[in-house]
Amino acid sequence: TQSVKLVAGNWKMNGLGASLAEAETLAKALKEQAAACRVALCPPATLIDRMAQALEGGVVEIGGQDCHAEASGAYTGSVSAEMVREAGAGLVILGHSERRAGFGETDADVAAKVEAALAAGLEPIICIGETLQEREAGQAVEVVSRQVAGSLPASLAGKAFAVAYEPVWAIGTGLTPTLEQIEEVHAAVRAAMIAKLGEGGRAAPILYGGSVKPSNAKEILAVAEVGGALVGGASLKAEDFLGIIRAA
Ligand code: G2H
């Protein structure tokens, strides 16, 4: 019952001219070898417009990495969901652990941003995941279930969106959970999505994120309920990102 997978690259605060060249290489390679999955790149907000132009006419989708919960106003330094969409994005990553930890975003904050994204016509990719301390205390399932309940507004039912399970301790560390651990958490995330959204929680893909690379992508993407991948470091190089796309 698995539908087409979504492989999204999260450039984080990386990517200037050299990465745009990588994006063009990626776009060309994808045109030559049609991907079996949906592919998205999420550059910093200032590069969305240029990336959208670089990838125009191709199949690669563009996403933002965050947006403000309000539509407009006195929020110096922030970018609204509508601005992200207008710049050329169709998706937006929300609630990444780097924003939860570094900018104090709560589940309620994330849910408000999801509402804003939906209002602007963006497909949100909502990130959740436990810390190492929570994992070691045996609380991983409890933590992600709570995050799903708090970060997914009821209005998501029937909308296009994705959830990304990213164990905080696996991000940029080269460490990944075992396939059994991924399967266990993804099953719990699905159950929490259905508990929150009813039937509307059944279809959205649950991506895995955290140190995905060409060498581990195939086995991770084959795990039950893994509907794609959110890729950080390995999305900065076309060769690595294409290796992951080919595995999906
Ligand atoms: C997790 C992931 C992308 P990386 O943050 O969101 O990054 O693949 O570098 O671990």
Side-chain angles (χ1 to χ4, degrees):
T1 59
Q2 286 283 20
S3 52
V4 65
K5 295 192 193 296
L6 169 62
V7 176
N10 174 11
W11 279 6
K12 308 192 177 180
M13 200 170 72
N14 300 295
L16 295 170
S19 293
L20 283 173
E22 291 283 352
E24 281 168 354
T25 307
L26 179 72
K28 270 196 212 114
L30 277 172
K31 272 182 205 165
E32 283 159 22
Q33 182 210 282
C37 59
R38 282 177 73 194
V39 180
L41 275 178
C42 305
T46 51
L47 292 177
I48 291 174
D49 178 45
R50 284 173 66 187
M51 287 286 301
Q53 287 180 40
L55 298 172
E56 197 176 359
V59 293
V60 181
E61 301 172 50
I62 309 286
Q65 299 177 7
D66 181 42
C67 69
H68 199 279
E70 297 297 332
S72 64
Y75 303 104
T76 303
S78 296
V79 175
S80 74
E82 183 65 33
M83 290 168 187
V84 171
R85 195 204 54 75
E86 198 177 30
L91 304 104
V92 64
I93 297 169
L94 294 173
H96 191 282
S97 65
E98 287 154 15
R99 295 210 56 90
R100 291 176 184 263
F103 299 84
E105 285 187 14
T106 64
D107 287 337
D109 294 332
V110 176
K113 290 182 175 203
V114 171
E115 300 270 24
L118 292 178
L122 288 172
E123 181 175 340
I125 300 176
I126 305 150
C127 302
I128 56 171
E130 83 285 2
T131 63
L132 183 58
Q133 201 183 12
E134 290 162 342
R135 162 66 63 179
E136 285 175 344
Q139 296 167 344
V141 161
E142 181 189 328
V143 168
V144 298
S145 302
R146 190 182 63 225
Q147 289 174 325
V148 167
S151 307
L152 274 58
S155 56
L156 271 175
K159 300 277 172 36
F161 72 99
V163 172
Y165 167 55
E166 302 202 316
V168 177
W169 50 276
I171 295 176
T173 58
L175 302 171
T176 51
T178 64
L179 300 179
E180 289 72 21
Q181 286 171 330
I182 294 174
E183 184 168 353
E184 182 196 17
V185 176
H186 277 237
V189 170
R190 177 64 72 199
M193 288 164 70
I194 292 168
K196 177 78 191 221
L197 304 174
E199 285 305 303
R202 231 176 252 287
I206 306 168
L207 317 184
Y208 169 79
S211 296
V212 177
K213 46 195 177 216
S215 59
N216 64 17
K218 203 167 189 72
E219 58 181 19
I220 291 174
L221 287 162
V223 172
E225 286 290 14
V226 172
L230 187 54
V231 184
S235 71
L236 289 165
K237 281 216 167 307
E239 186 188 322
D240 290 342
F241 198 43
L242 281 165
I244 294 166
I245 289 163
R246 286 190 196 107

